[in-house]
Structures are given as structure tokens and as C-alpha cells.
Amino acid sequence: MYERNGEYSESLMVHFRRAEGLRKESLDLHSLDLNARQIADLELLLNRALYPLTGYMSREDYESVVENIRLADGTVWSLPICLDVREEVAATLQPGQKLALNDQEGFLLAVMTVQQVWQPDKGKEAALVYGTDNPSVHPGVQQLMNQVHGWYVGGPVEGISLPLHHDFRDLRLTPSETHRRFTQYGWRRVLGFHTEEYLHCAHREMVLAAAREIGASIFLHPVVGLESPGSLDHYTHVRCYLAFVNKFPKNMIMLGLTPLAERWAGPREALWHAIIRKNFGCSHFMVADDHGDPFAGTSMDLFYPRHAAQELVAKYSADTGIEMIPQERMGYLEDKARYVFLKDVNGQAVKDISSRELRHRLEWNLDIPEWFSYPEVVAELRKSFPPRSKQGFTIFLTGLSGSGKSTIARVLMVKFMEMRDRPVTLLDGDIVRKNLSSELTYSREHRNLNVTRIGFVASEITKNGGIALCAPIAPYEESRQANRELISRYGGYIEVYVSTPIEVCEQRDRKGLYAKARAGKIKGVTGVSDPYVPPTNPELTIDTTNLTPAEAVQEILLYLEEQGYLR
Ligand code: ADP
């Protein structure tokens, strides 16, 4: 570890006079704009959640941690904390040189003094820290191999500004501030509870039972800020946590938020979380039997053996000074109207609602019983996950020119205007081409770009509860797939393949397009001299050869009704 004045100080932030000097100096320094993962690590370094580290690890510490779960001086530490940089950057760095560390907008957060620059053996790091060097079986290893840059830099940091947060500022206490609160409240024993899930009645019973048993109060310390793909946002989570802590007896629980870039390193991850909570002043830490597992809470098999995380945290508890409390699962016994530990039920049927089932109930506006969750928590969830009948959606019509996309879209538009419960926007192929995409050609690349631009606009409309009707030809699967992924995060996505065959489209030839193509007057016409790749999994396929527009539209309306989008 680096010798440094202030090794024991409560933060690595420097005095403002020194900060003024460093700010001036930084104008001439090499600088690095950190990514979200690196900013999360830096914040924990600066606020000393990573005590006793005073900067990014030296090579010696790094290797010792990877091999022995200890820093070079013997202190227990489970995960590498190094600044990763690209090779081109590494080549410009010399020991002794200062490096300015900025946030993503280039705002100066800290200055580090480079002490070592090296190329780590990532395969070895992966095998020893994660238990595999195969990125395809472990998302943490995937991140290490593909997103973490190939060179590491070690050296002490001097903090100038903590990363800025404008949300929930009262809850973002530093370790020292948190510890001071515990002292003020007279809390000598504190059970740290790490979570990223929504919490309901079972969690309250479980954490209260554990805390009572050891005579501790509870520090609920969820991780926020680094949005995992697919998750909506952390605002809903935090509002739910605020409602949840209100359900506890007075002076029993305190809520704090922390950033944390997860590595999903299973047992080593859990040990790292425990050390961090010790640094926030906790005496005990709750560990689930699948804590830190990349597949915890999914339908996939766990990567690490069940209980391995609990065992590792317990094994090192004398060194780390924080005790491991196993998280015991609970279920609801209807006869007794109370929660019981699953290990005590002796074959009686207990009730539970999985997170998937919960999502289903929200989506279909079904009952969520009071034994399962608190009305205040459910109210927050219902705001963020409205039922389908209140969600926005996109109807994406794809097919050849003349297949009937615009006609169907226009009739649908009129139907939705009649219903009037959501705003409607029509993004017709030809009209978009004249406005949003006027500079694009009909190359594969530009066709895809045109389609994803339409998708972006549709996603914004869907996010805000509207209906987007899109009617481009969209001949390629890759851009249609990208739109599906983007838009279905925010609401419904209904892909309609208008499969009218080319002969029929050509016969109709509304725009004289096919005649011109056959006469060789224009090139690159989809279906004639350019490909159309049919969708692999459309929600609906409609061939308009023998249907009227009204009939085609009725098929779509029936589908929407059946799927719960219309009331
Ligand atoms: P696209 O937008 O796919 O290029 P258009 O909607 O502009 O196609 O043209 C389709 C043509 O086919 C129109 O002339 C329309 O009247 C005719 N048509 C016949 N039956 C149908 C149907 N069931 N749905 C849509 N259009 C139909």
C-alpha cells in the first residue's frame, strides 16, 4: 500500500487550497474521462468505503489479492481495485507523473500520482477471482475480458470533488457520516443489508428476525446508479425502499444509498461487500446463499455452489471484523397468517409470489395481496409498471412496397383517434424519408439507419405512454431486432409482417415503382433488385391479397385487445 499522509483520514478529499492548486496544475496534465464503472470505484475510494486503500492498487497488492485474498501487507481484500486504461494511454504514462481523473463530462474529480503501469494477466485474474477464464459462461469475466482495458495503473489519489449526484442527496451518506449517525442513535451493533431487489413483507420479517437475534439495528444499504440493462431506473427502487423502511419500528432501521460496480464474483464479491459495510460502521452483514452470483434471481443455474459466499465471508470474519449473518428464506403460512422460515415449515404449504409473477400481476392489473407487499410499495410499483391498458406501444408494420402498410396504418390511426385514450403518431415510410432521413440512400447500411431512427422516435413516444405507428419497408432483421429490444423496454412492441406477395404488390403498383424498376429506370427496389428478409418472429402476419383494409385492421385490434393493451 502507498505511504501517504492521511492514511487514516476520513476521506481522500484534499483541502480546498490544495484543490485550487491541483485544478490549475491539471490543465497541463494528461487526463482521463472515466466510465461509469470507474467512477463508481473512484467514489468508493474517495469516500473511504474502500478503507484502507488510499489509491489504486500497486502491482504487488494486485497480485497478492488475486492469489491470496490479501493485500501485500496481509490485510484481507478480495477484489482488484486498479485503474484500467487502453494500451495507447498506458504508453504515455511514467511513474511519478500526475494524471487527472474526470467524470464523463470532463469535470475534474481527482488527481492520481502514477506509480506503476503494467499489463495484468487477465486470464489468471479471471481464473482465480471468478473461478473461470471463460467469458461465455460468466458475465463478470465477460466484462473483465472485453470491457476492462488491458493495462492497469496503480498509485495514490487526491480527491477534488466527489462524483456529482442530484438524486436522493440526503440518502447518499459517506462511511464516516453513516458511522456518526449510528453513534448518535446509540447503535453499537448494526446489521448491514445489501440489496438491489424490491423489498416486501417477507424481507421485513426476515431482516427483523435476524437483527433481533443478535440485538442489532439495521442499515439498509442498496446499490444504485449503475443501471443494469433491462432495469427501468433506480428511482422506483429508492421510492419503494423509502416506503419499506416506514414499515419498521422506530429507530430500528436506516436507509443509505451507495454506488457499486458489481463484478458478480460470487464469494469474493460477497466478501468485498462485507468489507465495504464494515467501513460504513456495520458490525454484521447479511449474506444470501447466492450472494454475488451472476445468475442469482434468474432461471439459470447458479454459477457458484450454494452457500459458498456465506462460507467465505464467515471464514474471514475475524480478519475483517464483520460477522456473517446468513439470509434465511421465508414463506407465508396462510393458516397461521404469518411468515415462517422455510427451514421450519415441515412440509406445510407456504405461499410466495415470484418477481416474475409480480410483474405479470402489475402488467395485467391483478390483485397483489397484502400478505405479500405493503400498499405503499405496491402503489409505487403500479406507478412505474402501469398495466398494459395504460402503457404506450408501437405497431411496426414491415413488408414490400405496396403491401398495404400505409393504408393499414392510416386506418389504425383513425381507430385510435376515435378511442382517444392515448396520443397517436404515424411514422410512415415515405414521410420519414422526406423529413427525418432525407440525406440517406437505399444502401443496406442507410436502410438500417433509417429504420433505427424511426425506432428511436417510436421508443420515446412509447415511453411517454403514446402509440407509435411505423410503416417503413424495413427489409433487414438486424435493425428490426434493435428496435424491438429498445422499444419493449418501455412498453408494447407489436411487429406486423404485411406479407402480401410481390406479384400482388406489383399488380397494384400504386406509385409506379415496380414498372420503373422493371424498365430499369431505378435500381435497388426491394423485392425486385434488392432483398427483403422476412421477420423471424412477428407478432402478426397479414397478407392483404384477399382482405379489405378494414379486415386487416380488425385483426390487429383483436390482437391488441387479447394482449390487454385495449380496455
Ligand atoms: P405500402 O405502404 O406497404 O407501400 P400502401 O398502403 O401504400 O402500401 O398501398 C397498398 C395498396 O393496396 C393500396 O392501394 C390499398 O388500397 C391496397 N389494398 C388492398 N387491400 C388492402 C388491404 N387489405 N390492406 C391494405 N391495403 C390494401
Side-chain angles (χ1 to χ4, degrees):
M1 211 176 304
Y2 302 105
E3 296 288 329
R4 184 178 182 283
N5 289 341
E7 186 173 328
Y8 303 112
S9 60
E10 70 171 40
S11 89
L12 299 182
M13 307 303 291
V14 294
H15 192 275
F16 72 91
R17 304 274 323 264
R18 169 91 178 138
E20 282 165 12
L22 284 173
R23 263 199 204 98
K24 282 206 190 91
E25 215 184 307
S26 74
L27 300 174
D28 300 319
L29 297 178
H30 275 301
S31 70
L32 213 57
D33 291 351
L34 304 183
N35 59 37
R37 171 178 52 78
Q38 293 170 323
I39 293 174
D41 281 0
L42 181 63
E43 181 165 351
L44 296 185
L45 269 175
L46 294 180
N47 72 20
R48 305 232 72 189
L50 303 185
Y51 181 95
L53 303 186
T54 55
Y56 294 102
M57 285 179 179
S58 66
R59 183 167 191 171
E60 202 189 0
D61 279 331
Y62 163 75
E63 281 169 1
S64 172
V65 164
V66 168
E67 284 166 27
N68 308 317
I69 317 196
R70 286 179 189 274
L71 298 168
D73 71 359
T75 309
V76 167
W77 197 273
S78 56
L79 295 178
I81 304 293
C82 301
L83 182 65
D84 57 300
V85 298
R86 281 177 289 126
E87 186 166 5
E88 308 85 86
V89 176
T92 66
L93 298 177
Q94 300 293 334
Q97 176 186 339
K98 288 205 175 86
L99 178 62
L101 304 179
N102 301 332
D103 71 9
Q104 280 157 321
E105 275 97 56
F107 177 72
L108 181 66
L109 298 176
V111 172
M112 96 178 270
T113 304
V114 175
Q115 296 213 331
Q116 283 164 313
V117 184
W118 75 98
Q119 186 176 25
D121 180 347
K122 280 199 197 168
K124 179 175 167 187
E125 178 180 334
L128 293 178
V129 173
Y130 295 84
T132 176
D133 59 5
N134 181 355
S136 62
V137 300
H138 194 302
V141 175
Q142 160 94 19
Q143 172 172 280
L144 174 66
M145 297 300 197
N146 301 332
Q147 279 149 41
V148 173
H149 300 302
W151 289 71
Y152 287 175
V153 189
V157 292
E158 294 181 84
I160 293 175
S161 172
L162 283 171
L164 297 174
H165 298 288
H166 300 293
D167 54 338
F168 305 112
R169 293 182 68 136
D170 299 350
L171 298 174
R172 293 181 180 272
L173 300 180
T174 67
S176 301
E177 288 165 344
T178 309
H179 179 252
R180 266 197 289 279
R181 293 270 175 99
F182 295 166
T183 314
Q184 281 165 7
Y185 298 159
W187 291 5
R188 290 186 58 188
R189 296 160 78 83
V190 182
L191 173 62
F193 185 28
H194 166 111
T195 187
E196 284 148 80
E197 291 171 44
Y198 293 109
L199 302 176
H200 308 291
C201 305
H203 299 99
R204 176 185 180 275
E205 299 309 314
M206 182 267 301
V207 71
L208 261 182
R212 273 195 202 110
E213 188 156 328
I214 53 173
S217 306
I218 301 153
F219 181 43
L220 177 62
H221 204 204
V223 169
V224 293
L226 277 174
E227 249 64 278
S228 53
S231 84
L232 196 68
D233 61 52
H234 66 273
Y235 299 95
T236 310
H237 275 92
V238 178
R239 284 198 304 267
C240 287
Y241 296 138
L242 286 165
F244 178 77
V245 295
N246 270 336
K247 295 292 164 184
F248 280 72
K250 285 269 166 295
N251 209 28
M252 262 311 282
I253 189 164
M254 179 174 134
L255 174 63
L257 305 180
T258 186
L260 190 140
E262 290 207 62
R263 275 77 164 166
W264 304 288
R268 286 220 197 196
E269 179 89 29
L271 181 54
W272 187 50
H273 293 177
I275 295 168
I276 291 173
R277 273 31 178 254
K278 174 69 186 174
N279 289 338
F280 273 87
C282 298
S283 56
H284 296 72
F285 184 55
M286 175 99 78
V287 185
D289 58 10
D290 55 4
H291 199 115
D293 194 287
F295 306 119
T298 71
S299 54
M300 318 245 297
D301 287 344
L302 292 180
F303 184 83
Y304 299 99
R306 225 173 245 292
H307 303 292
Q310 296 170 333
E311 284 157 17
L312 196 76
V313 177
K315 176 176 162 193
Y316 285 107
S317 78
D319 289 272
T320 56
I322 186 158
E323 273 188 59
M324 194 283 293
I325 301 296
Q327 182 173 329
E328 304 277 0
R329 284 167 209 280
M330 292 189 108
Y332 188 72
L333 258 190
E334 198 161 31
D335 306 351
K336 303 239 166 73
R338 66 184 166 87
Y339 275 90
V340 288
F341 288 112
L342 291 188
K343 60 177 186 182
D344 300 333
V345 291
N346 303 324
Q348 299 167 77
V350 292
K351 294 175 78 164
D352 193 17
I353 291 178
S354 68
S355 45
R356 242 177 110 190
E357 170 65 18
L358 179 63
R359 276 301 270 274
H360 176 81
R361 290 185 185 213
L362 290 166
E363 209 162 8
W364 290 87
N365 211 7
L366 303 175
D367 179 49
I368 296 170
E370 290 210 10
W371 63 259
F372 174 73
S373 193
Y374 305 103
E376 295 83 351
V377 172
V378 174
E380 289 297 343
L381 290 173
R382 289 214 192 270
K383 268 188 243 164
S384 298
F385 303 97
R388 282 189 176 179
S389 61
K390 295 232 162 62
Q391 284 176 17
F393 60 82
T394 291
I395 297 185
F396 192 94
L397 299 143
T398 165
L400 297 174
S401 178
S403 60
K405 303 181 299 296
S406 313
T407 307
I408 294 175
R410 278 197 299 269
V411 179
L412 267 176
M413 171 111 179
V414 170
K415 293 284 164 202
F416 291 134
M417 300 287 271
E418 263 179 16
M419 293 178 206
R420 247 217 167 279
D421 62 342
R422 294 174 178 98
V424 201
T425 308
L426 176 58
L427 298 165
D428 185 72
D430 295 324
I431 295 167
V432 169
R433 278 282 183 179
K434 285 205 187 81
N435 297 285
L436 200 54
S437 293
S438 55
E439 85 289 14
L440 298 186
T441 68
Y442 289 85
S443 69
R444 180 173 189 140
E445 198 193 346
H446 277 188
R447 281 175 186 270
N448 278 330
L449 189 55
N450 177 44
V451 167
T452 49
R453 282 183 188 173
I454 294 173
F456 173 73
V457 178
S459 76
E460 290 293 313
I461 293 166
T462 305
K463 191 196 288 179
N464 291 311
I467 301 175
L469 301 174
C470 312
I473 296 174
Y476 298 115
E477 187 71 2
E478 57 271 22
S479 46
R480 292 189 303 246
Q481 194 55 35
N483 284 354
R484 174 186 291 279
E485 268 163 37
L486 177 67
I487 295 167
S488 50
R489 268 188 239 160
Y490 303 118
Y493 184 75
I494 298 104
E495 186 180 64
V496 181
Y497 172 30
V498 187
S499 66
T500 317
I502 179 86
E503 302 75 44
V504 179
C505 298
E506 197 161 351
Q507 212 175 10
R508 291 175 180 167
D509 207 7
R510 249 167 54 87
K511 298 161 204 155
L513 188 72
Y514 293 104
K516 284 186 209 151
R518 297 288 177 204
K521 288 194 189 132
I522 43 173
K523 297 203 172 64
V525 173
T526 303
V528 180
S529 45
D530 218 50
Y532 180 85
V533 183
T536 41
N537 251 326
E539 274 67 22
L540 282 172
T541 301
I542 297 179
D543 178 345
T544 64
T545 311
N546 298 313
L547 289 180
T548 65
E551 286 166 343
V553 164
Q554 187 60 16
E555 280 196 34
I556 298 175
L557 292 177
L558 286 175
Y559 177 85
L560 290 171
E561 206 280 324
E562 176 200 296
Q563 291 293 314
Y565 290 106
L566 306 179
R567 266 165 314 156

